[in-house]
Amino acid sequence: MILMAIDHVRVYAGVPAGGPRPGVFFTRWITNFVAPAFAFLSGTSAYLLGRKLGSTRALSRYLLTRGLILVLLELTVIRVSWTFNFHFGEYLLAGVIWMLGWCMVLMAALVWLPVAAIGAFGVAVIFLHNVMDFVAPPSDAIAQSALGWLWQILYYGGPIQLGANGPTLAVLYSIVPWIGVMAAGYAFGAIMTMEPTRRDRICVMIGLAAVALFFALRAIDVYGDPRHWHVTTPSPIPTFFRFIGTSKYPASLQFLLMTLGPMFLLLPLFDRARGKIGEVVATYGRVPMFYYLLHIPTIHFAAVVVSLIREGRVDGWLFENHPMMSPPPPPGYTWSLGLLYLVFVIVVTVLYFPSRWYWRMKSTEPARWMRFI
């Protein structure tokens, strides 16, 4: 939840998503761990909720309802938070919450299968989806086909024109391979209920295996990511940056190994986090959707304040269709990395207080709608 805010401040700072400079590259790269953990642990949470509810039917109904609510929030509240405009006829965003929502809808059907079958399905999607790199037709042929829009939603992503005069749906997160990640996370829930020592040992084994496989596949540079790091012509990007600069849209096998592997290794350590710092950090994770709904407009408003201070006016670029369909920032607009991280720290600090309030209210006097936010 905290790392995510770095990347979203970066959007309004006008800082590019990567580049040859280490500071810029790692400002983006470190946030790559966010979406895989979101999708995977959402699946794990669904498994644990299912045990609590004691009913597959109740779990399926919850996942279907919450998934559709997330999709609706992405297309309305979150889209306005990103843009601060109401030009729905021009632009709609299918971002990470859209992806999580549709994956929950699909999981509402998958949870009726045995846990082992759900896990096998998830792992198969994660490991095999990059076969599309070798068998898929050219992107222009897909876009011109009758079902091109469906292929974009399911796998390829990118802008989809909805009707002759309709808005553009900017698909940032496709459904595949994320449904595989969520399904694998659901099966992982069975491991999370094991005795702690055994659970931690399995986490370390999975993490080490994923990291080792990432390095092996990346070294071979044949399968698992369409972005090859071996180049035949001089490149301004350092070799190490090309090596770890895997593809996120759609998320490649190597991208998922690179991000989920360390997550598994860190889970036993995070489980032991105690003290004031651990409690503060845990607050954000206890109310993830509430925090998410607040953090984008808060960051956007902070960018408006920064623009007013720096330029004496609010730059119109801040009301473009962020984060996918916006033009590059105007000349001289881009923030320094120091300013970017200062705003990030301020925003995360400010959001701690409403997050703590919401968690206390949700814990003591929960309203029915709080189950979904």
Side-chain angles (χ1 to χ4, degrees):
M1 303 309 301
I2 294 173
L3 284 179
M4 171 182 64
I6 297 175
D7 194 48
H8 295 164
V9 173
R10 179 198 61 77
V11 170
Y12 294 106
V15 174
R21 291 169 49 205
V24 173
F25 178 86
F26 284 106
T27 292
R28 169 62 169 172
W29 184 84
I30 192 64
T31 64
N32 285 334
F33 293 83
V34 174
F38 268 10
F40 189 88
L41 296 178
S42 292
T44 304
S45 297
Y47 177 89
L48 298 176
L49 177 62
R51 285 170 59 93
K52 180 179 179 180
L53 294 174
S55 166
T56 301
R57 182 179 299 276
L59 175 61
S60 179
R61 184 168 57 247
Y62 171 83
L63 289 171
L64 176 63
T65 304
R66 188 164 196 243
L68 293 176
I69 288 174
L70 293 187
V71 172
L72 178 63
L73 286 172
E74 180 76 87
L75 296 176
T76 56
V77 175
I78 297 172
R79 181 244 177 252
V80 173
S81 298
W82 276 115
T83 62
F84 279 6
N85 71 53
F86 294 89
H87 303 156
F88 288 95
E90 297 178 4
Y91 170 77
L92 297 171
L93 176 66
V96 67
I97 303 302
W98 155 284
M99 174 271 289
L100 291 173
W102 284 119
C103 285
M104 286 182 184
V105 170
L106 295 174
M107 285 298 301
L110 288 175
V111 294
W112 292 93
L113 299 175
V115 174
I118 297 173
F121 166 79
V123 171
V125 171
I126 291 171
F127 276 82
L128 298 179
H129 78 93
N130 278 119
V131 171
M132 294 293 290
D133 298 338
F134 302 97
V135 302
S139 57
D140 57 343
I142 293 172
Q144 294 172 11
S145 67
L147 294 178
W149 61 272
L150 180 60
W151 279 110
Q152 286 182 261
I153 289 175
L154 290 177
Y155 189 71
Y156 295 102
I160 301 174
Q161 185 65 39
L162 302 179
N165 300 307
T168 297
L169 176 66
V171 182
L172 190 59
Y173 283 84
S174 56
I175 306 304
V176 176
W178 297 109
I179 181 57
V181 176
M182 188 175 288
Y186 181 89
F188 181 75
I191 295 174
M192 290 297 290
T193 61
M194 293 179 177
E195 183 271 328
T197 301
R198 183 185 180 196
R199 177 191 64 204
D200 291 351
R201 183 169 62 250
I202 294 174
C203 284
V204 171
M205 291 172 59
I206 295 175
L208 290 175
V211 172
L213 184 57
F214 163 74
F215 279 106
L217 288 175
R218 201 63 178 150
I220 297 170
D221 203 19
V222 172
Y223 178 78
D225 196 289
R227 185 186 298 176
H228 301 287
W229 63 277
H230 285 103
V231 295
T232 56
T233 57
S235 171
I237 308 297
T239 301
F240 178 66
F241 293 178
R242 296 200 308 273
F243 186 88
I244 63 174
T246 49
S247 300
K248 184 178 180 181
Y249 305 112
S252 68
L253 167 60
Q254 292 180 22
F255 175 88
L256 295 173
L257 293 172
M258 178 188 74
T259 51
L260 291 175
M263 185 203 71
F264 284 114
L265 295 176
L266 290 171
L267 275 176
L269 297 178
F270 288 151
D271 191 46
R272 294 175 174 83
R274 298 293 183 272
K276 184 62 177 177
I277 295 179
E279 183 65 22
V280 168
V281 172
T283 299
Y284 299 102
R286 288 172 178 149
V287 291
M289 196 62 219
F290 177 79
Y291 171 90
Y292 190 96
L293 291 173
L294 279 187
H295 92 287
I296 296 175
T298 303
I299 290 171
H300 201 167
F301 177 75
V304 169
V305 173
V306 169
S307 178
L308 189 61
I309 294 173
R310 293 177 73 210
E311 304 178 49
R313 64 183 181 88
V314 178
D315 198 303
W317 181 75
L318 291 171
F319 301 95
E320 298 287 348
N321 291 324
H322 295 278
M324 213 180 140
M325 302 295 287
S326 176
Y333 174 88
T334 303
W335 302 0
S336 68
L337 289 180
L339 178 57
L340 187 160
Y341 280 97
L342 174 62
V343 172
F344 155 70
V345 170
I346 292 173
V347 166
V348 171
T349 301
V350 167
L351 289 177
Y352 169 76
F353 300 99
S355 297
R356 183 181 62 179
W357 166 80
Y358 186 73
W359 167 246
R360 289 177 176 175
M361 187 171 66
K362 192 175 182 179
S363 302
T364 56
E365 301 177 14
R368 186 175 180 85
W369 62 268
M370 289 183 179
R371 297 172 57 222
F372 302 101
I373 302 296

